[in-house]
Amino acid sequence: MCKGMSFWGNYNGVNETNENFVMNDKNIKEEIKMSIRERLSGNEAAAIAMKQINPDVVAAFPITPSTEIPQYFSTFVSNGQVNTEFVAVESEHSAMAATIGAEAAGARAMTATSANGLSLMWEMIYIASSLRLPIVMSLVNRAVSGPLNIHNDHSDAMGVRDSGWIMLFSENNQEAYDNLIMAHKIAESKNVKLPLMVCQDGFITSHSIENIELIEDDKVKEFVGEYSPEQYLLNKENPIAIGPLDLQAYLFEHKAQQAEAMKNAKDVILKVSEEFEKLTGRKYSFFEEYKLEDAEMGIVCMNSTAGTTKYVVDNLRQKGIKAGLLKLRVFRPFPAEEIAKALENIKAVAILDKADSLNAAGGALFEDITSAMYVNKKQIPMINYIYGIGGRDTKADDIESVYSDLEEILKTGEVKNPYRYLGLRRK
């Protein structure tokens, strides 16, 4: 930040005014006022998004690498910058239980966790979705024990991929922030009413500081809107009971309703993304197609790996190699038909999974992509790479080797082994 400048809002607990802000060019001043430029870690960005949303209840228990999110948010509570009821619980299971209770009572509730914390929530994760409670959670992705590892992979998210939660993935700090701002508007939609988790990579983005554009508080408040559920426990005009017991007569139908709500979420996600673009100029959809229009070969991946892959794609393009990337943002609901259409003209595709399903048949993303292609009658050579387990570095050289393998497939038309590892040390 330039000397003599300060920006609107107390986003780092420092400045409340812009008394020293001097700028002669009116147009530049107006442009800067459209957004607040900051340098934040992914955890700080998530906490600030929560601050701007100002939920009724936040319940959380610390676990690396998500600990900073409730830690930062608790300072906003103690400083009086939000009027949120912050519940410091004894475990992650209790954190999700508290948010379930709050949301069922008619409050807007949020939490954050990682890895083993999400595993401890497992029972309550399913209850939250089956009760159709639009809780929003920031999930900082980390390897699930054991053995114990505090670094990034996607085994925590993949473990709950079929639990009935909407799942958004974030390449960088900006996307983690933006996804959280959009989250309640998606989850609380009348046609959805499902919980939503926003994923970002532990340490890689959660603790790395990047340039970011924040939205003014009043605009976030207007965009997110007030939470006004139709049915809730404290509504004395329409008393209801809420509980997890649902026997043979009704459970099947209720699960079908959940599935329908997940389908409905696709349209809502696109609508909310369009509204967000009008507010910020930042465009989001189910996925990002990076130089994919004329690509002969492509990679599909999620979260921070997309940044490395874009760098490699740019380098290959300079050499005349037609490489591309599909970066998936929305994993649940899974945009099967849209992905099949986006990849239909690619001659060879590699799907990168940062978690191993341990099923001898590839990772979860690979399974979903191949299913989407088959059902939509789009048959192209596809290979799967398990990579980055336990925080193993995935460098540009590793991504280049994937494109080299794809080039070989282009030449021969054969996929000798569809199930592969990337960056694995072998004897």
Side-chain angles (χ1 to χ4, degrees), residues 375-395:
V375 169
N376 288 281
K377 298 180 174 59
K378 311 291 184 184
Q379 303 305 305
I380 58 176
M382 289 182 287
I383 50 176
N384 185 211
Y385 290 87
I386 305 299
Y387 79 104
I389 301 300
R392 177 68 55 85
D393 283 341
T394 303
K395 304 180 289 296

Side-chain angles (χ1 to χ4, degrees), residues 70-102:
Q71 180 182 355
Y72 284 126
F73 189 81
S74 67
T75 64
F76 300 143
V77 175
S78 63
N79 292 339
Q81 294 173 276
V82 294
N83 53 17
T84 304
E85 184 71 28
F86 186 87
V87 186
V89 293
E90 72 276 12
S91 74
E92 291 86 355
H93 185 282
S94 299
M96 185 51 61
T99 58
I100 287 172

Side-chain angles (χ1 to χ4, degrees), residues 77-144:
V77 175
S78 63
N79 292 339
Q81 294 173 276
V82 294
N83 53 17
T84 304
E85 184 71 28
F86 186 87
V87 186
V89 293
E90 72 276 12
S91 74
E92 291 86 355
H93 185 282
S94 299
M96 185 51 61
T99 58
I100 287 172
E103 197 79 43
R108 178 178 276 161
M110 302 183 75
T111 188
T113 195
S114 296
N116 299 4
L118 183 66
S119 299
L120 189 54
M121 288 180 178
W122 201 82
E123 174 191 17
M124 307 312 293
I125 287 289
Y126 276 79
I127 290 174
S129 60
S130 66
L131 294 180
R132 306 292 295 278
L133 300 174
I135 297 163
V136 170
M137 173 167 60
S138 179
L139 178 62
V140 183
N141 297 125
R142 180 193 121 180
V144 176

Side-chain angles (χ1 to χ4, degrees), residues 154 157-159 161-162 302 331-332 334 351-359 361-370 384 386:
H154 297 164
M158 294 302 107
R161 66 184 183 274
D162 297 328
M302 299 191 292
F331 184 58
R332 292 290 185 269
F334 192 73
I351 295 94
L352 274 53
D353 272 285
K354 213 170 192 181
D356 195 341
S357 292
L358 303 176
N359 60 2
L365 182 57
F366 180 69
E367 292 171 352
D368 284 348
I369 296 286
T370 51
N384 185 211
I386 305 299

Side-chain angles (χ1 to χ4, degrees), residues 288-299 309-319 321-327 342-343 346 403:
E288 177 185 352
E289 299 174 65
Y290 189 76
K291 300 187 177 179
L292 208 61
E293 332 63 53
D294 63 338
E296 294 182 344
M297 55 184 178
I299 284 177
T309 306
K310 288 176 180 178
Y311 170 80
V312 173
V313 167
D314 289 343
N315 288 342
L316 292 177
R317 286 282 176 163
Q318 290 178 5
K319 299 175 183 177
I321 300 171
K322 293 184 176 181
L325 162 71
L326 189 148
K327 180 192 77 179
L343 297 177
I346 311 297
Y403 282 112

Side-chain angles (χ1 to χ4, degrees), residues 185-197:
K185 206 171 177 67
I186 295 167
E188 294 168 2
S189 170
K190 183 178 181 179
N191 294 327
V192 178
K193 292 184 180 177
L194 291 174
L196 185 153
M197 64 181 72

Side-chain angles (χ1 to χ4, degrees), residues 44-331:
E44 287 178 296
I48 288 172
M50 292 170 66
K51 168 184 176 285
Q52 294 179 308
I53 292 165
N54 193 9
D56 300 306
V57 174
V58 168
F61 188 84
I63 182 168
T64 302
S66 67
T67 299
E68 288 181 329
I69 296 176
Q71 180 182 355
Y72 284 126
F73 189 81
S74 67
T75 64
F76 300 143
V77 175
S78 63
N79 292 339
Q81 294 173 276
V82 294
N83 53 17
T84 304
E85 184 71 28
F86 186 87
V87 186
V89 293
E90 72 276 12
S91 74
E92 291 86 355
H93 185 282
S94 299
M96 185 51 61
T99 58
I100 287 172
E103 197 79 43
R108 178 178 276 161
M110 302 183 75
T111 188
T113 195
S114 296
N116 299 4
L118 183 66
S119 299
L120 189 54
M121 288 180 178
W122 201 82
E123 174 191 17
M124 307 312 293
I125 287 289
Y126 276 79
I127 290 174
S129 60
S130 66
L131 294 180
R132 306 292 295 278
L133 300 174
I135 297 163
V136 170
M137 173 167 60
S138 179
L139 178 62
V140 183
N141 297 125
R142 180 193 121 180
V144 176
S145 297
L148 177 64
N149 183 294
I150 65 168
H151 295 281
N152 170 249
D153 63 34
H154 297 164
S155 52
D156 50 6
M158 294 302 107
V160 296
R161 66 184 183 274
D162 297 328
S163 63
W165 283 60
I166 296 168
M167 302 176 74
L168 306 181
F169 282 74
S170 316
E171 177 186 342
N172 49 41
N173 303 356
Q174 184 73 64
E175 291 190 10
Y177 169 82
D178 290 349
N179 281 334
L180 279 168
I181 297 298
M182 287 183 265
H184 287 286
K185 206 171 177 67
I186 295 167
E188 294 168 2
S189 170
K190 183 178 181 179
N191 294 327
V192 178
K193 292 184 180 177
L194 291 174
L196 185 153
M197 64 181 72
V198 173
C199 301
Q200 63 167 311
D201 282 345
F203 292 108
I204 299 172
T205 60
S206 67
H207 286 63
S208 297
I209 295 175
E210 298 178 355
N211 292 329
I212 186 173
E213 290 192 359
L214 304 175
I215 312 165
E216 293 97 327
D217 289 355
D218 58 337
K219 291 182 179 178
V220 171
K221 183 178 180 181
E222 182 182 359
F223 180 82
V224 176
E226 297 291 333
Y227 182 43
S228 54
E230 293 179 356
Q231 295 180 325
Y232 52 98
L233 285 171
L234 297 183
N235 183 0
K236 63 181 181 179
E237 303 301 326
N238 183 24
I240 62 171
I242 291 180
L245 184 63
D246 200 359
L247 300 180
Q248 299 96 322
Y250 298 106
L251 182 60
F252 198 171
E253 284 72 23
H254 289 157
K255 289 300 175 184
Q257 289 174 2
Q258 279 183 262
E260 193 64 30
M262 190 64 78
K263 293 177 185 176
N264 294 341
K266 289 180 66 176
D267 289 337
V268 175
I269 289 168
L270 291 180
K271 180 181 178 183
V272 172
S273 297
E274 288 173 3
E275 293 175 11
F276 189 81
E277 184 182 5
K278 291 178 182 177
L279 175 66
T280 65
R282 297 192 286 275
K283 184 177 178 63
Y284 290 96
S285 186
F286 298 134
F287 45 77
E288 177 185 352
E289 299 174 65
Y290 189 76
K291 300 187 177 179
L292 208 61
E293 332 63 53
D294 63 338
E296 294 182 344
M297 55 184 178
I299 284 177
V300 181
C301 65
M302 299 191 292
N303 270 15
S304 62
T305 306
T308 306
T309 306
K310 288 176 180 178
Y311 170 80
V312 173
V313 167
D314 289 343
N315 288 342
L316 292 177
R317 286 282 176 163
Q318 290 178 5
K319 299 175 183 177
I321 300 171
K322 293 184 176 181
L325 162 71
L326 189 148
K327 180 192 77 179
L328 191 61
R329 172 195 176 222
V330 180
F331 184 58

